[in-house]
Amino acid sequence: MTKNVHVTKWIDEMAAMTQPEKIVWIDGSDEQAEQLRAEACSTGELIKLNEELLPNCYLHRTALNDVARVENRTFICTTKQEDAGNINNWMAPAECYAKLTKLYTGSMKGKTMYVIPYSMGIVGSDFAKYGIELTDSIYVVLNMLIMTRVGNNVLEALGDSPDFIKGLHAKADLDEENRYICHFPEDNTIWSVNSGYGGNVLLGKKCFALRIASYLGRKEGWMAEHMLILGIEFPNGEIKYISAAFPSACGKTNLAMLIPPAVYKNLGYKTWCVGDDIAWLRIGKDGRLWAVNPENGFFGVAPGTNEKSNPNALHTTMRDTIFTNVVHDLDNNTVWWEGLNNNPPKNAIDWKGNKWDYTKYDKKDKSTCGAHPNSRFTASAKNCPCLSSEFNNPAGVPISAIVFGGRRAKTAPLVYQSFNWQHGTFVGSIMASETTAAAAGAVGVVRRDPMAMRPFVGYNMGDYFAHWLEMGKKIPNPPKIFNVNWFRTDDEGNFIWPGFGDNMRVLLWILARCEDKVGAVETAIGYVPKAEDINIEGLKDVTLDTIKDLLTVDVPSWKEDAKNIREFYGVIGDHMPKELYDELDALEKRLG
Ligand code: OXD
Ligand code: MN
């Protein structure tokens, strides 16, 4: 497999601790993947779905107590606590290694340890970083084969180098009390134990491509961000790229696969998806910021995905997909989830593995759902109908605009532009979303989620902001920075803006601003469009007055928000850059 002693020595050590019965190297071949799928089906770990309707698709159910990322059990283990900062959970590396060693010891007895050499980014490219994940789960192997680039070519590209991320995953007993997702950025190491759920165990994704990569990016002068990458093609064939960060439940995958509304489609506009979750950004030789999506697939939320909300995603999942925790339709051996259509299957098994009675399903009561609200599809990027032709370009794509967004009922207007990079960093740092009635707890509570990275920065949040400011100084021709809010509501709580494909109307204003092709109104929070510059042609129920309303800056709620921002900055503590306090002071002054 490899003569790299750094790799072999580490695997020997991990195997001595976990004590697997055998070790299998994953080579990236179809034959091996097929064997593993067959084995998983024979044990019940996977269920093969209808080959005619859903070719090469499988269903998996996790343990009932293991259905989501666990932020309270996720740790950044740096030597100094200060380096992890106040937003992350911290454990001293020695203490964490000792604690988890106890949990790992003997945990793979009688099992197979799979060795997955994988690349985030195109193997051999300047952007690429390599990892090896050791796991006792076939489900993890098969997901990693979709989500990353796996195979012997990764080992060849790595050669004798020690420069790879060492990931160890063991399901152990799936014991919640002893579930840990731990990152050791100083050692290029990730240890995950007692979970089998995607975000906790597909170590290339959040653990490596965001937490470890953000740490490496700061050290090496680039950025790892929780951003989609979308290309917009103009009728003349020119394509402009946007990267955008949104907290969860704000429609990131939908925006990444947006379909232009008829007014634009008829003129020849097209949209192309480069990525739906993660962007690695570097300064190009031309002085612009260039982005790649380091992943190779989509790990998307299933409920709510349908022909209207995201036909591209739905199409992507029609082959070569692993579905997790959705409804199993026994009549035709397919899958279903809430929001797919209005025809729930009559003869079905729910995500828990129990017979499911669709007549008892109550939209307002999540416990009656057939699919878990966080049920997922793991689908291959190559099957996405709107996949960008630049997806496999090792150089990535040049970014014209960075877009931040959140779910705010009143505070944020439909769109505004920051004054400059420093102010744009401020705009990202104050990102927030309000909780919805869908989740337990109070409605309308603001959760600050800077750059949608709150759970994903692998170091001190204050230092992360400083890195953004530093990058701004280094990029000769930086993208312009914007904020959007698709979620303003009227007094009855109804969304005012139609959203989905119509968001393109706002993105085109953004791109016009990037080229100085359209004016704007300067307000206390940034530049806001003139209402007539948002194209409403073909929109039902949206008038110029609606747009005016969507663009108002509600000064009293901004003043309230500013207080909340100051509190949040206080929590981040003394690593907060002074420049961002200056921006906050200036905002308060402008608000009067
Ligand atoms: C997330 C995800 O939780 O992408 O952000 O799964
Ligand atoms: Mn995400």
Side-chain angles (χ1 to χ4, degrees):
M1 268 56 72
T2 179
K3 295 203 180 74
N4 183 322
V5 288
H6 307 285
V7 173
T8 50
K9 184 165 167 283
W10 167 67
I11 295 177
D12 288 347
E13 283 167 18
M14 296 302 104
M17 174 168 67
T18 54
Q19 302 162 29
E21 189 177 294
K22 60 176 179 170
I23 297 180
V24 170
W25 287 71
I26 301 302
D27 59 16
S29 70
D30 287 343
E31 299 74 49
Q32 189 186 45
E34 195 46 44
Q35 265 170 26
L36 291 171
R37 285 190 282 259
E39 187 179 335
C41 287
S42 75
T43 61
E45 188 173 352
L46 289 184
I47 296 169
K48 168 117 183 83
L49 296 167
N50 187 320
E51 182 61 24
E52 248 117 76
L53 299 174
L54 295 169
N56 197 27
C57 289
Y58 294 82
L59 171 65
H60 171 79
R61 294 189 200 104
T62 64
L64 301 191
N65 73 3
D66 189 26
V67 293
R69 285 188 292 103
V70 280
E71 287 176 21
N72 61 339
R73 310 213 58 96
T74 298
F75 290 81
I76 302 296
C77 306
T78 44
T79 309
K80 288 195 282 180
Q81 178 162 10
E82 191 184 353
D83 290 337
N86 296 337
I87 301 295
N88 284 313
N89 301 313
W90 173 83
M91 222 190 298
E95 180 194 341
C96 188
Y97 280 130
K99 194 188 223 18
L100 268 60
T101 293
K102 287 201 190 109
L103 301 173
Y104 281 120
T105 298
S107 64
M108 294 192 192
K109 269 190 191 148
K111 297 191 190 175
T112 302
M113 173 194 269
Y114 299 96
V115 181
I116 316 170
Y118 67 96
S119 174
M120 301 312 292
I122 313 281
V123 180
S125 70
D126 289 349
F127 271 98
K129 297 250 172 221
Y130 307 127
I132 298 181
E133 175 164 356
L134 308 177
T135 178
D136 55 3
S137 159
I138 296 184
Y139 171 76
V140 168
V141 173
L142 295 173
N143 274 271
M144 286 293 284
L145 283 167
I146 298 172
M147 293 305 297
T148 71
R149 294 165 172 91
V150 175
N152 291 337
N153 58 342
V154 174
L155 294 172
E156 279 158 29
L158 181 65
D160 295 331
S161 166
D163 192 12
F164 67 100
I165 305 301
K166 308 181 198 81
L168 174 64
H169 164 246
K171 283 191 294 188
D173 310 314
L174 298 179
D175 171 8
E176 283 175 278
E177 303 297 316
N178 281 308
R179 185 168 295 155
Y180 288 97
I181 320 297
C182 298
H183 307 71
F184 305 86
E186 293 156 359
D187 303 342
N188 282 343
T189 294
I190 306 161
W191 277 15
S192 162
V193 66
N194 274 311
S195 175
Y197 168 80
N200 300 328
V201 299
L202 308 180
L203 301 185
K205 196 175 179 60
K206 304 299 188 184
C207 300
F208 177 172
L210 288 177
R211 298 194 189 97
I212 297 285
S214 61
Y215 177 92
L216 293 175
R218 177 176 176 231
K219 224 166 59 178
E220 298 167 3
W222 54 282
M223 304 162 91
E225 297 296 332
H226 192 196
M227 289 178 177
L228 65 90
I229 310 167
L230 170 69
I232 298 193
E233 182 174 335
F234 288 75
N236 67 3
E238 201 183 0
I239 306 180
K240 299 274 179 211
Y241 296 92
I242 284 173
S243 61
F246 296 87
S248 60
C250 291
K252 207 146 125 250
T253 304
N254 294 348
L255 188 65
M257 298 182 189
L258 164 149
I259 293 191
V263 272
Y264 291 120
K265 214 192 264 176
N266 297 342
L267 292 172
Y269 283 88
K270 293 184 185 132
T271 46
W272 302 108
C273 174
V274 183
D276 79 325
D277 197 40
I278 297 174
W280 284 1
L281 303 136
R282 285 173 193 268
I283 304 170
K285 291 191 186 73
D286 62 355
R288 291 186 291 175
L289 194 61
W290 288 69
V292 297
N293 168 11
E295 300 191 278
N296 204 25
F298 308 113
F299 184 62
V301 176
T305 305
N306 59 48
E307 271 305 340
K308 177 173 178 283
S309 67
N310 197 338
N312 283 319
L314 199 59
H315 196 280
T316 310
T317 64
M318 299 305 267
R319 53 176 59 243
D320 311 322
T321 295
I322 300 171
F323 296 94
T324 302
N325 290 343
V326 298
V327 177
H328 189 193
D329 178 346
L330 295 177
D331 282 339
N332 52 18
N333 192 22
T334 56
V335 289
W336 190 85
W337 49 80
E338 280 72 18
L340 174 63
N341 54 40
N342 290 325
N343 307 313
K346 316 272 174 302
N347 180 19
I349 303 287
D350 68 10
W351 73 272
K352 295 178 185 160
N354 300 324
K355 192 98 186 93
W356 183 60
D357 181 355
Y358 75 100
T359 60
K360 303 240 168 70
Y361 167 53
D362 169 6
K363 258 191 178 158
K364 294 195 203 82
D365 179 1
K366 292 274 180 212
S367 70
T368 64
C369 282
H372 188 275
N374 190 36
S375 55
R376 299 277 178 154
F377 54 79
T378 316
S380 191
K382 68 174 192 296
N383 292 332
C384 178
C386 60
L387 191 71
S388 165
S389 58
E390 302 304 296
F391 179 76
N392 282 315
N393 185 339
V397 295
I399 298 297
S400 298
I402 289 175
V403 179
F404 295 122
R407 180 184 282 271
R408 304 301 300 268
K410 295 278 175 262
T411 318
L414 180 62
V415 56
Y416 67 98
Q417 181 187 356
S418 64
F419 297 121
N420 51 47
W421 183 277
Q422 176 172 308
H423 179 237
T425 302
F426 171 74
V427 169
S429 79
I430 67 169
M431 256 174 74
S433 245
E434 283 151 16
T435 49
T436 63
V443 176
V445 175
V446 176
R447 171 177 146 110
R448 295 276 156 208
D449 189 354
M451 285 83 169
M453 284 287 279
R454 186 183 179 124
F456 305 123
V457 177
Y459 58 102
N460 188 310
M461 186 65 83
D463 296 338
Y464 168 74
F465 293 152
H467 179 51
W468 262 82
L469 295 170
E470 257 326 289
M471 286 296 295
K473 290 182 201 142
K474 288 191 195 142
I475 312 169
N477 189 3
K480 304 264 193 302
I481 303 179
F482 298 79
N483 191 86
V484 298
N485 175 27
W486 319 130
F487 300 97
R488 263 214 192 181
T489 53
D490 61 19
D491 292 340
E492 276 86 53
N494 305 307
F495 294 123
I496 306 173
W497 178 247
F500 299 108
D502 289 313
N503 292 335
M504 175 138 170
R505 299 164 189 271
V506 174
L507 299 183
L508 286 176
W509 181 81
I510 286 175
L511 288 175
R513 282 298 290 168
C514 292
E515 297 190 13
D516 289 326
K517 285 186 178 154
V518 67
V521 183
E522 186 169 340
T523 72
I525 61 167
Y527 299 114
V528 168
K530 295 181 202 152
E532 60 273 21
D533 289 334
I534 300 289
N535 182 1
I536 53 171
E537 189 190 329
L539 276 184
K540 266 202 304 185
D541 307 327
V542 176
T543 64
L544 197 62
D545 281 339
T546 319
I547 300 293
K548 279 188 186 146
D549 188 25
L550 284 167
L551 292 174
T552 50
V553 177
D554 181 347
V555 172
S557 40
W558 273 96
K559 284 188 175 167
E560 227 10 76
D561 216 42
K563 282 191 221 154
N564 183 283
I565 294 165
R566 201 171 284 282
E567 257 172 54
F568 179 61
Y569 277 7
V571 173
I572 294 174
D574 52 13
H575 285 230
M576 265 311 294
K578 178 182 172 301
E579 291 90 329
L580 296 189
Y581 273 115
D582 292 345
E583 288 293 341
L584 180 55
D585 293 341
L587 171 67
E588 284 188 320
K589 210 154 145 210
R590 290 192 300 267
L591 290 167

